[in-house]
């Protein structure tokens, strides 16, 4: 579809957000992915989340690695700078970008090959450093662009389209994210936009390392019987722990919830996460409990979705480094260069 | 008495200390070198150390050189042999007529010595055991004691040594007293029991001037501070780790906001070299000045990112403190062996800008300049140090900074320029110099955003796999590389005062040895014109210089004549006209080696008949 130029006109009555932007202002180029690809649904959810949050599109930096998932950063937020970097290395590029300018919103988009195979190391270290970012893994368990090889998130025993069985154990990025200290960890299904959009919104507002693992079936290579990442399989085995409503600090709460069935999480910036519990007694504040819950359900073949863990007082890399409030990329000679007098003193100390 | 006349020399000899790694000898040896400096006599010290923290042999060599020859000389006049493991080799190294200083507590059989050297024994261990009860003190003060004994033997100014000790232990009177006491224990024993001074002698001079004594890695770190680096990402690797460490400690002093006490810098120890260069690329893409410090193995790991930075045109500064390769090679030995792997780093058609500093002072200048060049050229800039420059204290001119100097942030399109209607195409060559404008992310709500990628794109950053726009872009990158030739530091030339058909090209840490070798060769009637390459791509004067000479020697510290290959390849020079002079055993190149190697070839060139007789 690359030959189609996206038309610019739109209906005059398209709804506008608080900043006066319409959905169209958050869109990107026409997708070149296969029709029905789960990744396109995630793109639509990102657009929706940014629209609803009334983010200025140019204040987002969208950074990805290599693969089908990483291509999607071109398909949303046309007014944002995007960086389609090196396979498996999005986390380091994003970390550097974030250090240079702490004022932008960092959206990392990656895939299961990009994050769990070639880039597992960088995934892990960005999580443990607490980079303030929204890290979305578009997880289909398969290499799409190279036509259907297993990725490291493919479940053991699952079958490829060519009939091969995967004998290797699967890497669960959510479990890893929890273990490595990510302060916001969620899993969603690309086919469930109502679940995904609030999770993205809350992740963007979260001031720390936020991971969303989105199971996103590959219609071309991983949507057959025997796959554990197909639309049918995920629908049948989806075990949602909660449904999230994201309430921005700027908006009044106008919905009343039954206190027994909800958990309200106050975020650092004043926004609130209202979790409608689906699984009884699930506590999204309990990291160890979440890890246990996850392992328990994985053993039963169930895919746990929802907001799995959130730390309402997260710390990020800038706080660890005690960097100045002003973005580092705006500092000039005045702040950065100690000048000749200081150099003379240094010279004197070296004699 | 030795059967060879003892060497006699004032302010011109080499002392080598043979120690055990981790025994605390480093600070005593450095104290010795600095004391000589304080007497106004130039020194050139070199650490020869193992990849080890404790137990393996380590050496510290001090060349004392009134004439100011700062390259390694080769040979040892006085060996301070404190390591039984290396005794035999150490003894063998001493020049005929030289001196051996050793701990004579345990008697050694005569077979352990040589008849052509002067042997000086001091019972260091015995004195220590008598004076100190704590084993650690016995070890540490033994080192200071031999400095004391040497001060007597070499007729050193003991007040200069005491002054240095007092500066080192400022505010710690107890430590000062203890060290001064140890110094005099050694000195007094020597004065009482030995003949002094020996044939090697120090005499106060005024040849140091205002020069400073600093390691290249520290100077590079200071250059990065002054050059405005705000993001440093690195992974520990010998011999570059002390560069990042120095940047960290200088930043603690020089980069803290006086009001908020917050840092004007972010320093990340990456999980590996891939992450380090990734962080640098991400930060520089987003408008910060960013760098990494590494060595050869790190450069190998960074290759993919370097191709991205070249092709997507992202500034980056890399300090490559070279060590002997290939593979892990000799991690604590010096070489200039990453020239080609840096110049052509990454797959596909790539070329990178390299800078070759000769000493710490030039390292400081080039480090700061590298950030301007990276921003101006929007490409990675490699500052090519080596272990010899990076990890040794070198006497060099003081560091200078012009307070009127402004950072050159290159072609950055601002929101005001976009609003004024200036056309923005990320890869559009608006000025004919091959350098396009870039925008920082977040600049403008509706204009100037673009998509950065390692895939091919057109002038407006739109993805394309068509041949014409791809070739157009690759040609523009070549134009940009041409522009780099004029922006990078130019070669420095020194012509012989007599006309000659022979030239020498050299670079980096070879510089002091080359200068000294040139004096030796000149004294032997062998005249040479010199050209020191300071950057790649080569300025046209390099080609002109080669054209002006029949033969040009290319002196370097690697096996494969890497700079020569680069000259042949980039300048289209007939390889027969470039004669490689190669030193690559991991020790720093010496003047003796260069003078011998060039001298022999010059002699050979002279005896070659122009045409075969009777043919």
């Amino acid at each position: 579809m690359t030959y189609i130029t996206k038309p610019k006109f739109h209906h005059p009555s398209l709804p506008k957000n608080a900043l006066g932007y319409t959905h169209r202002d958050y869109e990107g180029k026409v997708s070149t992915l296969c029709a029905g690809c789960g990744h396109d649904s995630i793109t639509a959810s990102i657009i929706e989340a940014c629209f609803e949050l009334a983010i200025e599109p140019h204040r987002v930096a969208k950074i990805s690695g290599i693969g089908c998932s990483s291509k999607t950063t071109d398909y949303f937020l046309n007014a944002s700078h995007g960086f389609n970097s090196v396979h498996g290395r999005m986390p380091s590029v994003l970390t550097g970008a974030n250090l240079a300018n702490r004022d932008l919103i960092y959206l990392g988009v990656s895939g299961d090959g990009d994050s769990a195979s070639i880039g597992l190391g960088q995934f892990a270290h960005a999580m443990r450093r607490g980079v303030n970012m929204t890290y979305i893994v578009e997880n289909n368990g398969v290499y799409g662009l190279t036509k259907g090889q297993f990725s490291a998130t493919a479940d053991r025993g699952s079958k490829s389209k060519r009939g091969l069985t995967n004998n290797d154990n699967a890497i669960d990025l959510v479990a890893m994210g929890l273990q490595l200290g990510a302060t916001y960890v969620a899993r969603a299904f690309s086919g469930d936009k109502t679940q995904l959009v609030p999770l993205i919104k809350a992740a963007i507002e979260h001031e720390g390392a936020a991971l969303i693992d989105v199971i996103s079936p590959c219609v071309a290579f991983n949507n057959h019987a025997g796959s554990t990442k197909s639309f049918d399989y995920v629908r049948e085995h989806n075990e949602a722990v909660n449904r999230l409503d994201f309430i921005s600090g700027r908006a009044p709460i106008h919905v009343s919830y039954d206190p027994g069935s909800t958990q309200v999480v106050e975020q650092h910036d004043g926004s609130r996460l209202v979790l409608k519990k689906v699984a009884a007694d699930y506590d999204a504040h309990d990291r160890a409990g979440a890890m246990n819950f996850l392992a328990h359900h994985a053993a039963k073949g169930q895919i746990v979705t929802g907001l799995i863990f959130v730390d309402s007082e997260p710390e990020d890399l800038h706080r660890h480094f005690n960097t100045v409030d002003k973005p580092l990329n705006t500092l000039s000679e005045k702040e950065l260069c100690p000048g000749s007098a200081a150099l003379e003193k240094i010279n004197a100390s070296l004699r | 008495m030795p059967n060879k006349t003892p060497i006699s020399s004032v302010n011109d000899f080499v002392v080598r200390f043979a120690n055990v790694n981790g025994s605390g000898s480093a600070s005593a040896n450095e104290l010795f070198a600095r004391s000589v400096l304080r007497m106004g006599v130039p020194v050139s010290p070199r650490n020869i150390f193992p990849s080890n923290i404790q137990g393996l042999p380590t050496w510290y060599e001090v060349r004392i050189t009134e004439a100011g020859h700062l390259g390694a000389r080769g040979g040892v006049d006085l060996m301070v042999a404190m390591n039984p493991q290396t005794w035999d080799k150490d003894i063998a190294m001493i020049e005929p007529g030289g001196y051996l200083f050793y701990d004579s507590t345990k008697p050694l059989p005569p077979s352990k010595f040589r008849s052509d050297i002067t042997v000086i024994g001091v019972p260091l261990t015995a004195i220590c055991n008598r004076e100190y009860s704590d084993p650690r003190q016995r070890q540490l003060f033994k080192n200071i004691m031999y400095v004391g004994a040497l001060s007597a033997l070499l007729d050193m100014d003991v007040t200069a040594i005491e002054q240095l000790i007092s500066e080192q232990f400022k505010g710690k009177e107890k430590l000062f007293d203890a060290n001064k006491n140890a110094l005099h224990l050694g000195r007094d024993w020597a004065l009482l029991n030995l003949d002094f001074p020996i044939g090697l002698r120090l005499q106060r001079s005024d040849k140091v001037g205002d020069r400073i004594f600093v390691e290249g890695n520290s100077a590079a770190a200071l250059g990065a501070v002054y050059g405005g680096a705000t993001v440093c990402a690195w992974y520990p690797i010998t011999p570059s780790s002390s560069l990042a460490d120095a940047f960290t400690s200088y930043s603690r002093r020089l980069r803290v906001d006086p009001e908020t006490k917050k840092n004007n810098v972010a320093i990340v120890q990456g999980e590996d070299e891939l992450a380090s260069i990734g962080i640098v690329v991400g930060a520089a893409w987003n408008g910060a000045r960013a760098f990494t410090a590494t060595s050869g193995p790190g450069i190998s790991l960074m290759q993919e990112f370097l191709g991205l930075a070249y092709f997507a045109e992202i500034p980056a500064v890399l300090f490559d403190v070279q060590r002997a390769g290939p593979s892990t090679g000799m991690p604590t030995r010096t070489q200039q062996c990453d020239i080609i792997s840096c110049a052509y780093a990454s797959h596909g058609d790539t070329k990178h800008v390299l800078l070759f500093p000769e000493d710490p002072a030039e390292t400081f200048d080039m480090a700061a300049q590298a950030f301007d060049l990276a921003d101006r050229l929007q490409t990675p800039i490699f500052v090519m140090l080596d272990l010899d420059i990076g990890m040794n204290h070198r006497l060099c001119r003081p560091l200078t900074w012009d307070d009127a100097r402004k950072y050159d942030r290159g072609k950055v399109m601002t929101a005001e320029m976009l609003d004024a209607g200036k056309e923005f195409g990320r890869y559009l060559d608006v000025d004919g110099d091959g350098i396009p404008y870039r925008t920082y992310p977040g600049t403008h709500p509706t204009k100037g955003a673009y998509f950065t990628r390692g895939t091919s794109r057109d002038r407006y950053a739109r993805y394309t796999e068509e041949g014409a726009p791809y070739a157009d872009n690759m040609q523009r990158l070549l134009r940009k590389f041409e522009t780099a030739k004029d922006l990078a530091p130019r070669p420095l030339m020194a012509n012989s005062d007599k006309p000659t058909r022979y030239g020498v090209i050299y670079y980096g840490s070879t510089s002091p040895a080359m200068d000294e070798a040139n004096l030796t060769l000149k004294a032997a009637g062998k005249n040479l014109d010199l050209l020191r390459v300071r950057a790649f791509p080569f300025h046209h004067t390099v080609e002109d210089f080669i054209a002006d000479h029949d033969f040009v020697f290319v002196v370097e510290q690697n096996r494969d004549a890497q700079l020569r290959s680069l000259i042949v390849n980039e300048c289209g020079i007939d390889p027969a006209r470039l004669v490689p002079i190669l030193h690559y055993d991991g020790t720093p190149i010496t003047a003796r080696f260069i003078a011998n190697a060039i001298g022999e070839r010059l002699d050979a060139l002279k005896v070659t008949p122009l045409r075969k007789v009777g043919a």
Side-chain angles (χ1 to χ4, degrees):
Chain A
M1 286 192 289
T2 39
Y3 56 89
I4 301 175
T5 310
K6 212 169 193 176
K8 282 189 176 158
F9 65 91
H10 60 78
H11 198 278
S13 65
L14 268 183
K16 290 180 177 171
N17 64 15
L19 289 176
Y21 289 114
T22 71
H23 269 91
R24 302 303 304 271
D25 297 312
Y26 294 90
E27 290 179 356
K29 306 236 163 29
V30 177
S31 168
T32 61
L33 300 175
C34 308
C37 178
H39 294 0
D40 284 335
S41 309
I42 302 170
T43 295
S45 295
I46 292 171
I47 292 169
E48 179 65 29
C50 291
F51 169 78
E52 289 181 13
L53 284 175
I55 288 169
E56 289 183 283
H58 75 293
R59 302 305 294 169
V60 178
K62 41 183 194 175
I63 303 174
S64 57
I66 295 291
C68 291
S69 54
S70 292
K71 291 170 81 170
T72 64
T73 40
D74 210 10
Y75 311 148
F76 58 83
L77 299 181
N78 243 348
S80 308
H81 276 66
F83 195 161
N84 198 179
S85 65
V86 179
H87 199 15
R89 315 297 170 209
M90 173 275 279
S92 65
V93 175
L94 189 149
T95 301
N98 180 295
L99 291 175
N101 183 355
R102 62 191 300 170
D103 283 355
L104 299 185
I105 292 164
Y106 292 92
L107 182 56
V109 177
S110 180
D112 39 307
D114 205 51
S115 279
S117 295
I118 190 169
L120 189 63
Q122 295 221 334
F123 166 84
H125 291 278
M127 291 301 156
R128 56 181 278 270
R129 285 193 187 106
V131 181
N132 184 4
M133 63 182 170
T134 298
Y135 191 128
I136 297 177
V137 181
E138 308 194 344
N139 182 356
N140 57 17
V142 76
Y143 286 84
L145 277 176
T146 51
K147 306 198 172 178
Q149 299 82 8
F150 287 117
S151 86
T153 63
D155 288 311
R156 186 172 185 169
S158 64
K159 284 200 164 41
S160 78
K161 202 178 174 183
R162 293 180 208 171
L164 299 174
T165 303
N166 176 38
N167 294 316
D168 300 341
N169 287 311
I171 288 173
D172 181 355
L173 292 172
V174 163
M176 286 194 71
L178 284 170
Q179 199 274 325
L180 292 163
T183 44
Y184 179 104
V185 181
R187 178 145 50 211
F189 174 43
S190 67
D192 187 351
K193 206 172 154 186
T194 56
Q195 181 192 38
L196 179 55
V197 171
L199 285 174
I200 296 174
K201 285 165 69 176
I204 288 174
E205 295 283 308
H206 181 79
E207 294 177 358
L211 167 69
I212 311 177
D213 178 32
V214 190
I215 311 292
S216 173
C218 173
V219 290
F221 297 108
N222 209 7
N223 199 29
H224 48 272
S227 157
T228 59
K229 298 274 194 288
S230 68
F231 277 107
D232 288 346
Y233 187 92
V234 178
R235 284 206 181 98
E236 280 161 25
H237 295 80
N238 188 344
E239 186 73 19
V241 290
N242 47 38
R243 307 293 292 188
L244 174 68
D245 273 345
F246 176 79
I247 299 166
S248 147
R250 297 177 285 274
I253 302 176
H254 52 78
V255 192
S256 60
Y257 293 101
D258 173 1
S261 67
T262 59
Q263 181 178 13
V264 180
V265 179
E266 299 268 356
Q267 295 230 102
H268 192 70
D269 65 344
S271 61
R272 288 175 196 193
L273 309 180
V274 180
L275 294 164
K276 286 174 281 183
K277 291 185 180 180
V278 177
D281 300 330
Y282 188 80
D283 180 5
H285 271 330
D286 177 4
R287 191 185 285 274
M291 289 162 81
N292 191 24
F293 188 90
L294 216 58
H296 195 66
H297 283 72
K300 292 192 284 183
Q302 287 166 331
I303 304 163
V304 176
T305 61
L307 178 54
I308 292 162
F309 173 75
V310 62
D311 180 343
S312 48
E313 290 290 330
E315 285 190 6
D316 90 317
L317 191 56
H318 279 284
R319 191 157 151 199
H320 296 158
F321 285 157
N322 192 31
T323 40
V324 287
D325 296 339
K326 236 177 128 183
L328 293 178
N329 70 351
T330 61
L331 303 179
S332 67
E333 295 87 357
K334 195 171 138 284
E335 294 99 344
L336 299 177
C337 187
S340 62
L343 198 55
E344 271 314 311
K345 276 189 197 158
I346 292 168
N347 281 328
S349 74
L350 296 172
R351 287 189 178 118
Chain B
M1 277 303 285
N3 59 13
K4 165 104 183 147
T5 315
I7 300 170
S8 179
S9 180
V10 179
N11 289 357
D12 184 18
F13 53 93
V14 173
V15 183
R16 186 182 257 236
F17 299 86
N19 301 96
V20 179
N21 210 24
S23 66
S25 59
S27 55
N29 297 344
E30 202 182 307
L31 174 70
F32 173 81
R34 285 182 182 276
S35 303
V36 179
L37 267 189
R38 285 291 173 94
M39 292 178 67
V41 181
V43 293
S44 174
R46 282 179 171 78
N47 252 312
I48 301 113
F49 60 99
S51 184
N52 163 266
I53 299 301
Q54 207 172 55
L56 288 186
T58 180
W59 294 268
Y60 187 77
E61 187 177 290
V62 183
R63 181 175 186 187
I64 293 154
T65 165
E66 168 120 18
H69 299 311
L70 302 180
R73 190 198 71 179
V76 175
D77 301 316
L78 168 59
M79 177 66 76
V80 181
M82 303 301 291
N83 187 357
Q85 292 174 75
T86 57
W87 177 273
D88 292 339
K89 270 190 181 173
D90 292 336
I91 304 305
M93 267 189 123
I94 302 169
E95 297 275 304
Y99 301 79
L100 166 68
F101 178 99
Y102 80 112
D103 180 353
S104 62
T105 302
K106 273 191 181 169
L108 288 169
S111 63
K112 283 287 177 191
F113 299 96
R114 266 168 53 184
S115 57
D116 62 341
I117 56 175
T118 304
V119 176
I120 304 156
V122 178
L124 293 168
T125 304
I127 304 172
C128 267
N129 289 354
R130 190 187 70 216
E131 296 287 327
Y132 306 104
S133 55
D134 176 38
R136 185 67 190 154
Q137 278 192 339
R138 284 177 176 173
Q139 178 62 58
L140 290 175
F141 288 132
K142 185 155 73 174
N143 300 323
I144 300 293
M145 274 172 52
Y146 69 62
V147 175
L150 289 176
S151 76
L153 293 168
L154 301 174
D155 199 15
M156 291 169 75
D157 180 353
V158 73
T159 54
I161 310 177
E162 285 172 0
Q163 175 64 24
L164 274 167
I165 297 176
S166 86
E167 285 170 25
Q168 191 186 343
F169 298 108
K170 204 170 164 186
K172 298 170 189 164
E173 291 309 316
K174 264 190 174 170
L175 280 172
F176 168 68
D177 289 341
N179 277 279
K180 188 179 159 187
N181 185 43
L183 182 79
H184 280 281
L185 274 174
R187 182 176 169 85
D188 294 346
W189 194 94
L191 291 174
L192 200 67
N193 298 288
L194 299 173
D195 291 334
F196 62 89
I198 58 173
L200 308 176
R201 206 155 57 73
L202 280 158
Q203 189 174 291
R204 206 163 248 293
S205 182
D206 59 355
K207 298 293 190 302
V208 173
D210 69 346
R211 279 187 283 182
I212 59 168
F213 193 55
V214 66
E215 289 165 323
N217 283 351
S218 294
L222 266 174
V225 169
Y226 274 74
T230 51
V231 175
C232 163
W234 68 292
Y235 186 73
I237 180 171
T238 304
S240 73
S241 306
S242 60
L243 199 163
D245 285 341
F247 184 74
T248 306
S249 54
Y250 280 125
S251 292
R252 268 194 219 124
R253 277 166 52 193
L254 302 168
R255 281 295 188 77
V256 178
D257 185 271
E259 279 170 33
T260 64
K261 304 295 175 208
K262 290 185 173 185
N263 300 315
N264 280 323
V265 68
I267 302 166
V268 191
Q269 185 186 315
E271 61 269 27
D272 53 30
E273 284 88 347
L274 283 76
S276 302
I277 189 68
I279 289 167
V280 168
V281 164
W285 171 76
N286 210 2
R289 291 194 145 181
F291 76 95
T292 189
T294 189
S295 189
I299 296 291
S300 292
L301 286 166
M302 294 176 185
Q303 296 279 312
E304 191 180 16
F305 259 118
L306 291 168
L308 172 75
Y310 172 78
F311 197 42
E313 298 179 66
I314 298 162
V317 172
L318 296 94
F319 294 96
D320 178 6
V321 189
Q322 298 168 90
R323 66 189 216 187
S327 187
T328 308
M330 296 195 282
T332 59
R333 298 292 185 262
T334 195
Q335 262 184 6
Q336 299 174 315
C337 54
D338 300 339
I339 309 300
I340 289 188
S341 73
C342 290
Y344 297 135
S346 205
H347 56 274
D349 292 327
T350 55
K351 298 182 197 223
H352 302 285
V353 177
L354 318 181
L355 310 181
F356 304 108
E358 65 164 350
D359 70 356
E362 194 171 46
T363 300
F364 172 81
D365 294 343
M366 287 186 176
Q369 189 185 7
F371 291 94
D372 280 355
L373 285 172
D375 273 345
R376 173 56 51 184
L377 292 163
Q378 299 175 23
T379 200
I381 307 290
F382 295 72
V383 186
M384 306 294 288
L385 290 86
D386 58 23
L387 186 143
D388 191 35
I389 300 177
M391 289 192 72
N392 288 314
H393 279 88
R394 181 71 53 81
L395 198 61
C396 59
R397 65 180 156 78
L399 309 179
T400 55
W401 188 262
D402 175 4
D403 286 327
R405 177 170 169 178
K406 292 270 174 235
Y407 296 153
D408 176 9
R409 299 306 317 263
K411 297 186 190 179
V412 179
M413 204 167 276
T414 60
E416 293 71 35
M417 290 157 83
L418 290 163
D419 277 331
K422 197 156 168 132
E423 186 188 16
F424 176 68
R426 174 64 183 96
Y427 300 107
L428 200 60
D429 185 5
V430 282
D431 303 317
D433 56 4
I435 306 171
Y437 273 84
R438 62 175 180 145
T439 52
Y440 297 155
T443 294
H444 193 281
T446 55
K447 295 170 185 155
Y450 68 95
F451 202 75
T452 306
R453 44 163 59 95
T455 40
S456 183
R457 82 305 302 233
D458 67 10
R459 293 173 177 185
Y460 294 88
R462 292 173 301 216
Y463 176 75
T464 177
E465 287 180 26
E466 283 182 36
Y470 167 81
D472 171 70
N473 188 52
M474 292 299 281
Q475 284 299 317
R476 182 182 53 75
L477 286 167
L478 274 187
R479 281 204 298 284
K480 187 167 91 167
F481 209 59
E482 280 298 310
T483 303
K485 290 181 180 177
D486 280 324
L487 295 178
R490 306 224 169 150
L492 292 182
M493 280 174 279
N495 281 343
S496 166
D497 40 20
K498 292 192 182 123
T500 172
R501 293 152 55 207
Y502 307 111
V504 181
I505 289 177
Y506 64 102
Y507 59 101
S509 66
T510 302
S511 201
M514 185 63 234
D515 290 342
E516 186 185 351
N518 191 40
L519 293 176
T520 311
L521 288 163
K522 186 181 278 187
K526 297 181 165 85
N527 294 300
L528 297 160
D529 291 337
L530 307 188
L531 179 143
R532 179 159 71 87
V533 167
R534 296 199 300 160
F536 174 75
F538 304 117
H539 192 255
H540 70 84
T541 46
V542 174
E543 289 162 61
D544 298 345
F545 180 83
I546 297 167
D548 289 345
H549 296 88
D550 292 353
F551 290 99
V552 173
F553 299 99
V554 184
V555 185
E556 36 188 332
Q557 301 181 53
N558 58 64
R559 184 195 68 179
D560 290 346
Q562 296 190 23
L563 191 89
R564 177 178 172 271
S565 300
L566 212 53
I567 295 171
V568 168
N569 196 35
E570 295 288 326
C571 307
I573 305 284
D574 173 6
R577 305 201 31 233
L578 299 178
V579 184
I581 302 291
L582 304 169
H583 178 94
Y584 55 90
D585 67 0
T587 61
I589 196 167
T590 63
R592 287 180 182 181
F593 170 85
I594 299 173
N596 284 340
I598 292 183
E600 279 172 18
R601 282 168 182 77
L602 282 174
D603 290 341
L605 284 169
K606 271 184 191 150
V607 297
T608 306
L610 292 174
R611 57 190 163 82
K612 281 185 186 167
V613 181

